[in-house]
Amino acid sequence: TGSQKTLALRMYPAVSLAKARRRRDNACELLADGIDPGVAKHQEKQAKADAAANTFEAVARLWLVKTVVKRAEVTPTRITWLTPITLAGVHSIS
């Protein structure tokens, strides 16, 4: 006796009717395969977030924050100035 689940496909002006129908059809295909479309959407969103966090830039910035106390006072400003130049391309680590 569970409640009915709904899947939001966005509102009309933001998504065309044809695109909303394609999303609905994709959700129906997932349901036919025994996959919950809401769970699949959440997993896809999480995978994108994980991929974005697993870039060289993200890891380098985290390292800079964690090791700032070990460096001379002027070093963080030099590194911060160089960061946009050296990390111009966002590359995945894996």
Side-chain angles (χ1 to χ4, degrees):
T1 64
S3 61
Q4 181 178 350
K5 292 184 176 184
T6 57
L7 182 66
L9 302 175
R10 299 223 177 179
M11 294 184 65
Y12 167 67
V15 175
S16 68
L17 187 57
K19 194 171 192 177
R21 286 179 176 156
R22 282 194 302 271
R23 288 181 181 180
R24 178 205 58 202
D25 293 341
N26 290 340
C28 287
E29 287 177 18
L30 288 173
L31 281 172
D33 292 338
I35 301 169
D36 183 350
V39 172
K41 183 177 177 182
H42 176 72
Q43 288 174 343
E44 182 180 331
K45 192 183 249 187
Q46 186 63 42
K48 285 181 182 179
D50 290 345
N54 196 21
T55 62
F56 179 75
E57 179 181 10
V59 173
R61 289 187 187 279
L62 182 63
W63 175 80
L64 288 172
V65 168
K66 286 185 174 182
T67 61
V68 72
V69 293
K70 297 178 184 177
R71 285 189 234 108
E73 201 171 302
V74 72
T75 306
T77 50
R78 287 183 182 164
I79 291 174
T80 306
W81 177 80
L82 280 173
T83 301
I85 298 167
T86 57
L87 301 177
V90 178
H91 302 286
S92 177
I93 291 175
S94 54

